[in-house]
Amino acid sequence: MSASATPAIHTWKPSAARTLTITGFTPRARGACPAPTAGSIVAWPVKDPADVLDYVYDISSAIWGDEGDSIAFLNITISPAAAGDLTLTSTTSNGHQAILWLSAGQSGTTYSVTLTIGTLAGRGFQRTVMLPCLSLSVEPPLGTELVTNTGAPIVDQSGNPIFIES
């Protein structure tokens, strides 16, 4: 009997680099009031228009204590949504994580990605996550856009990058 090659089986795992957790469901002491979170902006790291990447939204803290509950459906809305803008390539879930594969996008645009999630137990959640799109493979002109020390664009209340006038 001759030895033959055994095919390798690849196990895919979502990237932890682009994983966010649902807000407003942190454990706290009985009677303690949560800190207000309304108006806080939740954002994934900057995406290059050429990237095709997985982005994860974890709802485990919202369904904690109900081991039988998991994501039953996802509805994703992206804004703006014109030709060449951010594209939802596919979605899936692995129980408590909604996994979105996103591609394309216009450099200099911050997209709002709204996730509407329903669970097997009947829970429902709707959250919006911002996704800034910026060409990372080509250096932008210096001094035109305000960015953080990590390179993420600073945006106004509508999610648009703030530019410096020269």
Side-chain angles (χ1 to χ4, degrees), residues 30-124:
R30 185 179 191 132
C33 293
T37 58
S40 60
I41 297 174
V42 178
W44 276 305
V46 175
K47 179 196 175 304
D48 186 281
D51 292 345
V52 179
L53 296 170
D54 54 328
Y55 292 83
V56 180
Y57 197 78
D58 190 327
I59 66 162
S60 58
S61 62
I63 60 175
W64 183 82
D66 187 352
E67 291 77 25
D69 201 5
S70 63
I71 295 173
F73 74 85
L74 301 167
N75 184 18
I76 310 300
T77 307
I78 300 172
S79 180
D85 278 326
L86 187 66
T87 303
L88 178 66
T89 304
S90 67
T91 61
T92 189
S93 71
N94 69 357
H96 61 277
Q97 292 181 324
I99 303 163
L100 288 61
W101 282 89
L102 300 171
S103 62
Q106 300 289 335
S107 184
T109 303
T110 299
Y111 293 92
S112 60
V113 180
T114 301
L115 300 92
T116 303
I117 300 171
T119 71
L120 293 173
R123 293 177 176 96

Side-chain angles (χ1 to χ4, degrees), residues 18-30:
R18 293 173 300 282
T19 299
L20 294 176
T21 301
I22 193 168
T23 57
F25 292 94
T26 54
R28 57 186 179 274
R30 185 179 191 132

Side-chain angles (χ1 to χ4, degrees), residues 2 23 31 40 60 80-81 90 117 122 131-132 137 148 154 162:
S2 66
T23 57
S40 60
S60 58
S90 67
I117 300 171
L131 179 56
S137 56
T148 65
I154 298 174
I162 298 173

